[in-house]
Amino acid sequence: MIKYPNGSKRQYNTIRTTTSNRGMTLEKEINVTNDYYLEQDVAVIHKKPTPVSIVKVDYPARNKAKIVEAYFKVPSTTDYNGIYRGRYIDFEAKECASLTAFPIKSIHAHQIKHLKDVKRHGAITFIIIRFTKLDETYYIDASEMIDYIDTCNRSSIPYTWFVEHGTLIPYNYVKPVDYISVINQRYPKGE
Amino acid sequence: MIKYPNGSKRQYNTIRTTTSNRGMTLEKEINVTNDYYLEQDVAVIHKKPTPVSIVKVDYPARNKAKIVEAYFKVPSTTDYNGIYRGRYIDFEAKECASLTAFPIKSIHAHQIKHLKDVKRHGAITFIIIRFTKLDETYYIDASEMIDYIDTCNRSSIPYTWFVEHGTLIPYNYVKPVDYISVINQRYPKGE
């Protein structure tokens, strides 16, 4: 058995090993987490359906509609919203394959505007970014990231920025992306 | 010129005439209203995309995805949600072609569960019902309607129930379904 000089570092490695290569996408894991929150009556947060523009529908049988021509639309809002402890929650989630930086163009201009809009009206807004090759998932305050985007004059945000400004979201078998635990830290009860 | 003995009744008829046969569906009118609220920075409320399950996608050209097989899914939540004055807002909207009653089966069991869930967490929840032949659009508190559904042992809710328990939503050219005005009456500022 290898003895580690630093217990906390060892535990960190253990967490990473447990969660790596488990083969679930970020979206799937957030859905599992949201289902858990719903069943346990912690929060009600849903993924919105993928927006498509439907052009042609066939009716091969009575009461059965088959969409035969449709196109993906650019989303005008974020993918996730809902309610937690009476607060409106709104966030976007993105996977990032790069080891060094997150490309800003992954987030649509519409989504940035939407996050600003709901924030101004009192929402808790954030972005979840997973660096897939590192298997690290960060919670980043949306306003903080948008301020950076608006002022940085770059096409990507370095990985180190997320380490510094984000919070690593803990992994748990029943709550694979337990972002509510981060909300609890950042918005203590009653604030 | 006809002189009406009752000015208020006359105005009521004028409103009905203005709004009748204008040919917009309830969904379209709510979208116009939500766009107005967004532009005026009153509230941020969006319709969720129609949920479809996508089976097959073709790529007839580079960067162009065409969905060639998809099916409509039963929605697991309501169609509309968002934020107003810091409060999470959630509602469903339905047109009713009958003059006398609203069929309860128009609202899915999933949607009723969802409205109960978000209400318990502090949401403002309601249902908008338009009696299309009467051109009357009602705001009904979701809990009040769900209580009625849970106890009435009927398959439909009589029109008269909506007149008694709902609030007629005012029509306005720029805000065709001004439901926020009803929220303002029912939830005075600061409550």
Side-chain angles (χ1 to χ4, degrees):
Chain A
M1 193 182 135
I2 300 158
K3 293 211 176 169
Y4 289 85
N6 181 331
S8 71
K9 189 165 187 294
R10 187 194 166 211
Q11 205 206 342
Y12 181 66
N13 284 339
T14 310
I15 291 170
R16 293 227 300 178
T17 311
T18 314
T19 61
S20 66
N21 296 318
R22 60 186 181 266
M24 268 213 260
T25 62
L26 178 60
E27 177 182 327
K28 184 78 197 291
E29 287 193 5
I30 293 175
N31 289 345
V32 169
T33 306
N34 287 342
D35 287 349
Y36 178 86
Y37 292 152
L38 190 63
E39 279 160 24
Q40 298 294 314
D41 206 24
V42 170
V44 186
I45 293 155
H46 287 275
K47 183 180 183 296
K48 292 186 188 175
T50 304
V52 299
S53 117
I54 297 163
V55 177
K56 193 163 173 252
V57 181
D58 275 358
Y59 295 86
R62 269 192 70 191
N63 297 326
K64 199 181 174 185
K66 181 181 174 184
I67 299 160
V68 294
E69 187 180 353
Y71 300 93
F72 293 101
K73 281 200 289 193
V74 175
S76 53
T77 67
T78 48
D79 274 356
Y80 302 89
N81 74 1
I83 187 167
Y84 171 58
R85 284 197 330 223
R87 293 288 299 269
Y88 174 89
I89 305 292
D90 199 301
F91 66 99
E92 184 59 28
K94 291 287 175 197
E95 289 189 335
C96 176
S98 162
L99 282 163
T100 54
F102 173 79
I104 291 171
K105 68 166 194 270
S106 307
I107 310 240
H108 298 289
H110 277 132
Q111 295 180 319
I112 290 180
K113 183 189 174 295
H114 175 73
L115 286 164
K116 285 181 179 173
D117 287 343
V118 294
K119 174 75 185 183
R120 202 170 50 249
H121 286 268
I124 291 177
T125 57
F126 54 95
I127 296 166
I128 294 176
I129 308 259
R130 170 170 294 170
F131 288 91
T132 52
K133 291 201 176 104
L134 298 167
D135 197 32
E136 290 177 359
T137 308
Y138 289 90
Y139 173 114
I140 305 102
D141 180 77
S143 306
E144 214 171 327
M145 184 157 151
I146 292 167
D147 282 350
Y148 184 85
I149 292 172
D150 285 347
T151 56
C152 71
N153 206 15
R154 298 170 56 120
S155 63
S156 66
I157 304 175
Y159 163 73
T160 50
W161 188 88
F162 292 97
V163 175
E164 198 179 329
H165 297 269
T167 302
L168 208 52
I169 301 177
Y171 172 82
N172 175 310
Y173 182 72
V174 292
K175 296 176 280 184
V177 187
D178 187 13
Y179 59 86
I180 290 272
S181 69
V182 182
I183 295 178
N184 288 342
Q185 283 170 38
R186 295 193 173 213
Y187 301 85
K189 219 164 185 163
E191 277 184 32
Chain B
M1 191 181 135
I2 300 158
K3 293 212 177 171
Y4 290 84
N6 180 333
S8 70
K9 189 164 188 294
R10 187 197 166 209
Q11 207 206 340
Y12 181 67
N13 284 337
T14 310
I15 291 171
R16 294 229 299 178
T17 311
T18 313
T19 61
S20 65
N21 297 317
R22 59 186 180 266
M24 269 213 259
T25 62
L26 178 59
E27 178 182 325
K28 184 76 198 292
E29 287 193 5
I30 293 175
N31 289 344
V32 169
T33 306
N34 286 343
D35 287 348
Y36 179 86
Y37 292 153
L38 190 63
E39 279 160 24
Q40 299 293 314
D41 206 24
V42 170
V44 186
I45 293 156
H46 287 275
K47 184 181 182 296
K48 292 186 187 175
T50 305
V52 298
S53 118
I54 297 163
V55 177
K56 194 162 172 251
V57 181
D58 275 358
Y59 294 87
R62 268 192 70 191
N63 297 326
K64 198 180 176 186
K66 181 182 174 184
I67 299 160
V68 293
E69 187 180 354
Y71 299 93
F72 293 101
K73 281 200 288 192
V74 175
S76 52
T77 66
T78 47
D79 274 356
Y80 303 89
N81 74 0
I83 186 167
Y84 171 57
R85 285 197 328 222
R87 295 287 299 269
Y88 174 90
I89 305 291
D90 199 300
F91 65 99
E92 184 59 27
K94 292 286 175 198
E95 289 190 335
C96 176
S98 161
L99 282 163
T100 54
F102 173 79
I104 290 172
K105 67 166 195 270
S106 307
I107 311 242
H108 298 290
H110 278 132
Q111 296 180 318
I112 290 180
K113 182 188 175 293
H114 174 73
L115 287 164
K116 285 181 179 173
D117 287 343
V118 294
K119 174 75 185 181
R120 202 169 51 247
H121 285 268
I124 291 177
T125 57
F126 54 95
I127 296 166
I128 294 176
I129 308 258
R130 170 170 294 170
F131 288 90
T132 51
K133 290 198 176 108
L134 298 167
D135 197 33
E136 289 178 0
T137 308
Y138 289 91
Y139 173 114
I140 305 103
D141 180 78
S143 306
E144 213 171 329
M145 183 156 152
I146 292 167
D147 282 351
Y148 184 84
I149 291 172
D150 285 347
T151 54
C152 72
N153 206 15
R154 298 170 56 121
S155 63
S156 66
I157 304 175
Y159 163 73
T160 51
W161 187 88
F162 292 96
V163 175
E164 198 180 329
H165 296 269
T167 302
L168 207 53
I169 301 177
Y171 172 82
N172 176 310
Y173 182 72
V174 292
K175 297 176 279 185
V177 187
D178 187 14
Y179 59 85
I180 290 272
S181 70
V182 182
I183 294 178
N184 288 342
Q185 283 170 39
R186 295 194 174 215
Y187 301 85
K189 217 162 187 166
E191 276 184 33

